Amino acid sequence: VLRYPLKKGMHTASEDGSLMAPLMGRFTAPDGGVTSAHVGGLNFVVAYVDHSVIYRFIPKTATTSELEVIWLVKKGAVAGKDYDYDRLTWLWVVTSEADKKIIEWNSAGMNSTYYRPGPIAPMEYNEKRWLDWYIAELARG
């Protein structure tokens, strides 16, 4: 679990940084931070002060997977009154669509006869962690 600051002036993951839903948990004011947690190798939770996002990758075949994204707001919050669904989901819709393109392009490159694996860059620590987990799972049988 990692807690880190958002960009200065941002309270949550909205386009303009303003809150999108009622504060959750024990928050009485935004603190400018976000919490990120990984559960296993394919499941992630990102928690802001006003909402959380759970996203998980579901492998289907050796070359395909599905992505499930779940948005959580404070219990009792009403769509259209306490939050706007499109505004709430905007970042992850945009991110997921961009990631899908990147993954498809990477897959096409890796399936090319010209592909040669290279080193994992330091910024790819999540990918390295996932590969280590995956290899360990394979070794367990």
Side-chain angles (χ1 to χ4, degrees):
V1 176
L2 177 66
R3 181 103 176 132
Y4 53 93
L6 294 166
K7 183 178 169 184
K8 187 175 180 173
M10 302 289 281
H11 299 300
T12 191
S14 63
E15 285 186 85
D16 64 1
S18 65
L19 296 175
M20 299 184 287
L23 295 174
M24 297 197 319
R26 289 181 251 161
F27 285 102
T28 57
D31 71 347
V34 58
T35 300
S36 177
H38 303 152
V39 183
L42 303 172
N43 307 289
F44 305 86
V45 178
V46 181
Y48 303 94
V49 295
D50 60 346
H51 73 286
S52 294
V53 181
I54 300 170
Y55 60 104
R56 65 187 194 120
F57 297 92
I58 306 160
K60 294 298 184 175
T61 71
T63 59
T64 63
S65 64
E66 289 182 1
L67 170 63
E68 179 180 42
V69 184
I70 301 167
W71 289 267
L72 304 170
V73 294
K74 184 175 184 173
K75 182 177 181 178
V78 177
K81 178 183 173 203
D82 298 311
Y83 66 93
D84 177 271
Y85 179 81
D86 290 335
R87 187 167 177 248
L88 183 74
T89 61
W90 163 80
L91 176 63
W92 293 97
V93 169
V94 169
T95 302
S96 298
E97 289 173 0
D99 286 349
K100 182 178 186 289
K101 288 179 184 174
I102 292 167
I103 291 165
E104 288 171 346
W105 292 339
N106 281 336
S107 180
M110 290 174 60
N111 288 316
S112 163
T113 57
Y114 299 103
Y115 174 75
R116 298 293 177 269
I120 296 175
M123 68 180 277
E124 297 176 306
Y125 60 90
N126 278 333
E127 291 78 2
K128 173 76 168 106
R129 186 180 58 79
W130 186 88
L131 286 169
D132 291 344
W133 167 82
Y134 186 74
I135 291 167
E137 288 297 307
L138 289 174
R140 286 181 12 164

